[in-house]
């Protein structure tokens, strides 16, 4: 018997439910699906295992730089001193024994219990002291101003102390409680840096005007704003990061494609396998291996290269199972009214309530970043269709060969897209207000909501592209240009730009990654991408035919195609969003220049920072092209501080401009 597509899908649907019942004249016929119940049981077990691991890691990180086993050492040490008839507590143990609520036990047991209580208090005090010392040590930053290769005696002592107080084998988040808070600069220093940054860009008259405005700001409004910042810095772990995320990223109403999202390339000269499904199988498996290590906090904390100085790991928490949700306008009158009614304001609550009911304060549109604790599947896009692909079966992670098998099923599927499905992703590439309204109107209920929830709750997004990209056989530079533009924006509808990251697999085995920017900065994604590429090539590998290694369980359920009911009005909005995104993509001129003559090693031999070298090269190129200078933004990490993101480096300085002007004058004289 030949089964049609509808019959197969109905059979899959029946397999997906845990029980079925039929009402007959004889009663209710209940049929249990043991496979579905088994999947539910294994899912619950896996969830509880993760919770137990999370609790264990919180305890280990909570007592860092000590270890839980050190508590036993302190207890044994105190008990040993007691049996030598000495009192290390100077009478505190006896005081604790007097106030113990337990009187039924013997005096000796009470003494032991009091000693354990005192040991625990002493242990917690030692942890607090060590963490405070480590926090103070990590607040020292003079090391970064010392000449490269030369270290002062003070810094050498500091490094030794950091090693002592850092403990052994820290988990990913062990340093979080010991990192210093971001210091709040004085208004005077902020104004001074502002004037230094604009001095090379304006003439004397304009600079004098700005200097006067800066002085007025410093003496009036600046003082009040500084007071607010000091107040926030007292209770916030970082006084700027939440505002940075909201105002720099989430409140932007323009397209995040190109303007915010960024990309990462594959190996330039090597393609581990030319088989698209095989490359996807290995790397998707590697992504979930990284997530497993992340959940267990087995990834070592990031440090400044070549040092013992840790960096903040808070951004790692939202790598997976995260998406950006388009925001709606917030009615601030309702927000203020809710705050008022929840607060303990004793006066005139009725009058205040009436006031907020009769007037509306328009608010701001802002997106949100939504993170879920776990997800056992990914969503893949191919030829206008979206598929849900589970990567766990019976509580275990699918092998690379099994994931390749599932990906190949998607590639071989000839089912046409649903009406309006093919270019649905364009909504995430267009204007945020249009996407927010469409989401509320067309995706807030029914099958569309279920399918959208499936995409947003996925571990990450995958695009199976039918194009071939990368460095081609002729080594033409246009190949890298097309490759970069494809990763940056694709066709403007075949990526889900709201996901924390999307992975693209091309027909020739090349791959790449596109990441949303609001939840984390590029180094976090770069570390993930580096792990995936190295695991793919050097740990998992491929067989002689280019397929993933291992066997396939042919009984695996097929990837589930998502269903949509897109009305004509929504299709019109999709087309409008696509027009906006396409115009933006067409306006991007992209050229990737592969520099092979020299790299950072040669620059370092000249005792010059590679970053400074590149920044000055950019300044010089712009000056020669335009004959002037412009305000320059270079991002610099502030992850030396807790929950730090980035800060601005103004590389267009007075010294740099004077250097270029002097250099060009000398060149003109020599040519003359």
């Amino acid at each position: 018997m030949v089964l049609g597509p509808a019959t197969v899908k109905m059979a899959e649907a029946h397999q997906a439910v845990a029980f079925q019942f039929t009402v007959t004249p004889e009663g209710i016929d209940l049929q249990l699906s043991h496979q579905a119940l088994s999947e539910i049981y294994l899912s619950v077990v896996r969830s509880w295992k993760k919770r137990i691991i999370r609790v264990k890691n919180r305890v280990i990180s909570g007592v860092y730089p000590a270890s839980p086993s050190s508590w036993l050492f302190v207890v044994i040490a105190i008990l040993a001193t007691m049996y030598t008839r000495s009192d290390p507590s100077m009478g505190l143990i006896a005081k604790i024994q007097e106030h113990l609520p337990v009187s039924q036990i013997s005096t000796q047991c009470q003494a032991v219990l009091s000693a354990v209580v005192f040991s625990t208090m002493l242990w917690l005090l030692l942890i607090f002291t060590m963490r405070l010392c480590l926090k103070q040590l990590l607040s020292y930053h003079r090391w970064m101003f010392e000449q490269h290769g030369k270290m002062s005696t003070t810094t050498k002592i500091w490094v030794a102390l950091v090693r002592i107080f850092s403990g052994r084998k820290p988990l990913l988040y062990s340093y979080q409680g010991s990192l210093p808070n971001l210091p709040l600069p004085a208004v005077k220093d902020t104004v001074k840096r502002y004037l230094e940054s604009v001095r090379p860009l304006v003439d004397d008259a304009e600079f004098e005007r700005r200097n006067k405005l800066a002085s007025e700001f410093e003496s009036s409004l600046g003082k009040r704003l500084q007071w607010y910042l000091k107040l926030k810095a007292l209770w916030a772990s970082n006084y700027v990061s939440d505002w940075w995320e909201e105002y720099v990223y989430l409140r932007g109403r323009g397209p995040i494609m190109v303007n915010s999202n960024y990309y990462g390339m594959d190996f330039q000269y090597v393609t581990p396998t030319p088989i698209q499904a095989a490359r996807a199988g290995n790397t998707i498996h590697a992504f979930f291996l990284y997530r497993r290590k992340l959940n267990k906090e087995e990834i070592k904390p990031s440090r400044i290269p070549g040092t013992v100085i840790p960096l903040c790991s808070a951004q790692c928490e939202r790598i997976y199972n995260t998406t950006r949700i388009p925001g709606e306008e917030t009615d601030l009158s309702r927000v203020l009214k809710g705050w008022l009614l929840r607060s303990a304001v004793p006066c005139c609550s009725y009058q205040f309530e009436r006031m907020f009911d009769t007037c509306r304060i328009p608010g701001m549109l802002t997106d949100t970043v939504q993170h879920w604790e776990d997800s056992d599947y990914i969503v893949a896009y191919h030829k206008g269709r979206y598929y849900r692909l589970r990567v766990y079966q019976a509580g275990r992670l699918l092998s690379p060969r099994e994931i390749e098998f599932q990906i190949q099923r998607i590639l071989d599927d000839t089912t046409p897209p649903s009406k309006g499905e093919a270019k649905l992703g364009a909504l995430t590439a267009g204007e945020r207000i249009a996407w927010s309204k469409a989401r509320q109107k067309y995706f807030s209920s029914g099958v569309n909501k279920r399918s959208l929830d499936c995409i947003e709750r996925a571990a990450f997004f995958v695009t199976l592209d039918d194009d071939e990209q990368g460095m081609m056989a002729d080594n033409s530079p246009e190949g890298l240009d097309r490759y970069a533009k494809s990763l940056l924006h694709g066709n403007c509808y075949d990526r889900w730009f709201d996901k924390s990251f999307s992975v693209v697999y091309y027909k020739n085995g090349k791959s790449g990654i596109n990441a949303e920017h609001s939840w984390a900065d590029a180094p976090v994604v770069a570390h993930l991408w580096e792990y995936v590429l190295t695991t793919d090539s050097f740990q998992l590998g491929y067989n002689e035919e280019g397929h993933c290694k291992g066997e396939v369980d042919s009984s695996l359920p097929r990837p589930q195609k998502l269903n949509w009911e897109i009305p004509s009005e929504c299709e019109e909005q999709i087309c409008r969003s696509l027009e906006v995104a396409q115009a933006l993509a067409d306006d991007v001129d992209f050229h990737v220049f592969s520099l092979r003559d020299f790299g950072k090693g040669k620059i370092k031999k000249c005792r010059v920072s590679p970053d400074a070298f590149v920044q000055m090269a950019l300044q010089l190129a712009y000056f020669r092209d335009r004959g002037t200078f412009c305000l320059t933004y270079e991002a610099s990490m502030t992850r030396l501080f807790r929950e730090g993101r980035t800060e601005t480096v103004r590389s267009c300085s007075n010294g740099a401009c004077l250097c270029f002007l002097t250099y060009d004058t000398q060149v003109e004289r020599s040519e003359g």
Side-chain angles (χ1 to χ4, degrees):
M1 181 178 69
V2 179
L3 296 176
T7 310
V8 173
K9 289 188 179 298
M10 188 171 291
E12 291 174 357
H14 282 300
Q15 291 176 0
V17 295
F19 65 90
Q20 304 172 31
F21 67 91
T22 307
V23 180
T24 64
E26 291 77 18
I28 298 177
D29 180 21
L30 180 64
Q31 297 180 355
L32 297 176
S33 171
H34 295 288
Q35 181 182 357
L37 290 175
S38 176
E39 288 291 333
I40 293 173
Y41 168 75
L42 292 171
S43 177
V44 171
V45 170
R46 177 168 164 265
S47 176
W48 273 102
K49 283 182 178 179
K50 289 188 65 176
R51 290 182 183 181
I52 293 171
I53 291 172
R54 195 177 297 120
V55 170
K56 183 195 76 171
N57 289 339
R58 283 176 181 172
V59 171
I60 295 174
S61 297
V63 302
Y64 192 83
S67 63
S69 59
S70 63
W71 172 82
L72 185 60
F73 174 81
V74 174
V75 171
I76 293 174
I78 295 297
L79 290 174
T81 55
M82 286 182 61
Y83 281 106
T84 60
R85 299 191 178 277
S86 60
D87 186 7
S89 69
M90 294 181 291
L92 285 177
I93 293 178
K95 288 287 186 182
I96 295 172
Q97 187 174 348
E98 290 176 6
H99 294 85
L100 278 179
V102 181
S103 58
Q104 293 81 7
I105 61 176
S106 64
T107 305
Q108 187 176 4
C109 290
Q110 289 183 16
V112 171
L113 184 58
S114 302
V116 171
V117 172
F118 171 77
S119 302
T120 304
M121 294 169 59
L122 178 62
W123 179 64
L124 293 174
L125 180 62
L126 289 172
I127 291 171
F128 176 78
T129 304
M130 291 178 66
R131 181 171 290 185
L132 187 63
C133 291
L134 183 57
K135 191 169 188 176
Q136 291 300 316
L137 287 169
L138 295 178
S139 300
Y140 172 83
H141 296 127
R142 291 184 183 178
W143 55 269
M144 67 176 66
F145 300 105
E146 295 183 353
Q147 188 175 351
H148 183 70
K150 294 183 179 180
M151 189 183 297
S152 65
T153 305
T154 304
T155 302
K156 289 179 181 178
I157 296 173
W158 171 77
V159 169
L161 290 174
V162 170
R163 290 183 186 276
I164 292 172
F165 284 96
S166 290
R168 299 172 59 189
K169 297 181 179 179
L171 298 177
L172 178 61
Y173 302 118
S174 292
Y175 285 108
Q176 291 302 105
S178 302
L179 290 173
N181 292 349
L182 184 68
L184 178 62
V187 180
K188 182 179 180 181
D189 295 336
T190 301
V191 169
K192 179 183 177 182
R193 293 188 184 107
Y194 164 74
L195 293 173
E196 287 177 351
S197 67
V198 300
R199 185 63 189 96
L201 311 174
V202 297
D203 56 27
D204 293 341
E206 176 62 18
F207 181 73
E208 191 61 34
R209 188 183 73 86
R210 297 198 181 198
N211 197 355
K212 182 180 179 181
L213 291 173
S215 299
E216 293 176 359
F217 171 82
E218 182 182 348
S219 60
S220 55
L221 182 60
K223 289 183 177 180
R224 186 169 24 151
L225 295 177
Q226 184 77 353
W227 187 86
Y228 292 143
L229 284 180
K230 286 180 179 179
L231 186 64
K232 186 182 180 184
L234 286 175
W235 56 266
S237 53
N238 191 300
Y239 73 91
V240 72
S241 286
D242 57 338
W243 288 347
W244 180 266
E245 181 177 302
E246 179 178 352
Y247 290 96
V248 173
Y249 294 113
L250 298 179
R251 286 205 177 184
R253 298 296 89 197
I256 61 175
M257 182 199 78
V258 174
N259 292 325
S260 180
N261 285 34
Y262 56 95
Y263 72 92
M265 283 184 169
D266 197 358
F267 296 120
Q268 187 169 341
Y269 303 109
V270 177
T271 305
T273 177
I275 302 174
Q276 184 179 21
R279 190 74 196 284
N282 258 12
T283 51
I284 290 173
H285 184 83
F287 273 114
F288 280 92
L289 290 180
Y290 188 89
R291 191 180 75 165
R292 179 186 295 170
K293 293 171 72 71
L294 192 68
N295 290 337
K296 293 182 178 181
E297 297 186 31
E298 294 175 351
I299 299 171
K300 293 181 180 180
S302 297
R303 302 175 188 267
I304 293 180
T307 72
V308 296
I309 307 164
L311 300 175
C312 180
S313 301
Q315 296 179 41
C316 297
E317 296 173 355
R318 297 187 292 181
I319 293 179
Y320 295 90
N321 330 320
T322 301
T323 195
R324 176 171 174 162
I325 307 295
E328 302 174 13
E329 186 175 12
T330 304
D331 185 347
L332 292 184
S333 62
R334 290 201 300 269
V335 174
L336 291 172
K337 175 183 172 182
W339 172 83
L340 175 71
L341 296 178
R342 288 193 303 271
S343 65
V345 179
C347 61
C348 306
S349 60
Y350 174 73
Q351 285 83 353
F352 274 108
E353 187 175 349
R354 286 289 304 275
M355 180 184 72
F356 286 117
D357 285 340
T358 54
C359 71
R360 182 176 184 275
I361 307 173
M364 289 290 293
L365 285 160
T366 178
D367 293 358
T368 56
V369 177
Q370 182 71 48
H371 172 72
W372 290 269
E373 287 295 331
D374 193 19
S375 179
D376 62 354
Y377 67 91
I378 60 172
V379 168
Y381 176 92
H382 179 242
K383 289 186 175 179
R385 304 155 303 174
Y386 293 86
Y387 294 86
R388 175 176 177 160
L389 171 56
R390 291 190 177 274
V391 293
Y392 281 87
Q393 175 73 6
R396 68 172 180 87
L397 177 63
L398 296 184
S399 68
R401 185 71 182 90
E402 289 172 327
I403 297 176
E404 177 190 353
F405 177 71
Q406 296 288 69
I407 292 292
Q408 193 61 52
R409 279 178 161 179
I410 295 175
L411 294 173
D412 295 339
D413 189 7
T414 57
T415 306
S418 303
K419 177 177 176 290
E421 179 184 14
K423 299 180 180 180
L424 178 63
L427 290 172
T428 68
E431 299 285 347
R432 303 304 292 176
I433 295 177
W435 172 209
S436 173
K437 292 180 178 179
R439 189 177 190 275
Q440 179 66 27
K441 187 174 182 179
Y442 306 113
F443 299 91
S444 58
S445 62
V447 64
N448 288 347
K449 184 180 187 305
R450 291 194 294 272
S451 295
L452 180 62
D453 285 347
C454 183
I455 294 176
E456 292 179 341
R457 292 171 180 264
F460 54 90
F461 191 82
V462 166
T463 296
L464 302 171
D465 205 308
D466 282 336
D467 293 335
E468 295 186 358
Q469 297 290 353
M471 182 73 79
M472 299 305 174
D474 57 355
N475 289 334
S476 62
E478 291 80 9
L480 285 179
D481 297 349
R482 290 192 300 270
Y483 181 27
K485 278 181 66 69
S486 175
L487 289 174
L488 185 64
H489 54 67
N491 293 324
C492 303
Y493 58 79
D494 51 355
R495 318 279 189 262
W496 199 266
F497 293 101
D498 284 352
K499 285 300 292 181
S500 55
F501 67 92
S502 302
V503 192
V504 185
Y505 298 100
Y506 296 100
K507 195 173 183 178
N508 59 342
K510 280 291 182 184
S511 65
I513 191 170
N514 180 286
E516 201 276 319
H517 209 326
S518 64
W519 62 274
D521 299 313
V524 175
V525 177
H527 188 275
L528 164 68
W529 189 230
E530 180 183 288
Y531 174 88
V532 168
L533 292 181
T534 53
T535 303
D536 168 33
S537 299
F538 304 117
Q539 182 178 330
L540 300 176
Y542 302 88
N543 61 23
E544 295 179 355
E545 291 80 22
H547 293 282
C548 298
K549 298 176 182 178
E551 302 298 327
V552 177
D553 180 3
S554 57
S555 65
L556 290 173
R558 297 180 66 87
Q560 176 189 357
K561 183 182 179 299
L562 301 185
N563 298 315
W564 306 90
E565 294 177 359
I566 308 296
S568 300
E569 296 85 355
C570 184
E571 286 189 89
E572 293 175 2
Q573 181 55 60
I574 292 172
C575 291
R576 288 193 292 269
S577 294
L578 182 58
E579 289 177 2
V580 172
Q582 193 63 60
L584 178 60
D586 293 341
D587 194 42
V588 175
D589 292 327
F590 214 120
H591 179 60
V592 179
F593 180 68
S594 180
L595 180 64
R596 305 185 189 183
D597 298 335
F598 63 91
K600 64 179 182 181
K602 195 168 185 178
I603 299 172
K604 287 181 177 180
K605 287 181 180 179
C606 300
R607 305 186 70 80
V608 176
S609 162
D611 176 69
F613 179 91
V614 172
Q615 290 298 321
M616 291 302 98
L618 292 172
Q619 293 291 327
L620 181 58
Y622 187 88
F623 177 69
R624 287 182 171 177
D625 181 54
R626 299 296 180 90
T628 186
F629 301 102
C630 71
L631 193 64
T632 308
Y633 179 104
E634 182 193 4
S636 175
M637 285 195 306
T638 57
R639 289 173 63 197
L640 286 170
F641 306 98
R642 190 172 182 180
E643 297 181 14
R645 291 289 300 258
T646 58
E647 188 49 89
T648 306
V649 174
R650 296 298 185 190
S651 52
C652 182
S653 62
N654 286 322
C657 295
L658 180 62
C659 177
F660 296 144
L661 291 170
T662 305
Y663 175 76
D664 267 26
T665 303
Q666 292 176 349
V667 171
E668 290 176 1
R669 289 176 179 175
S670 62
E671 290 177 353

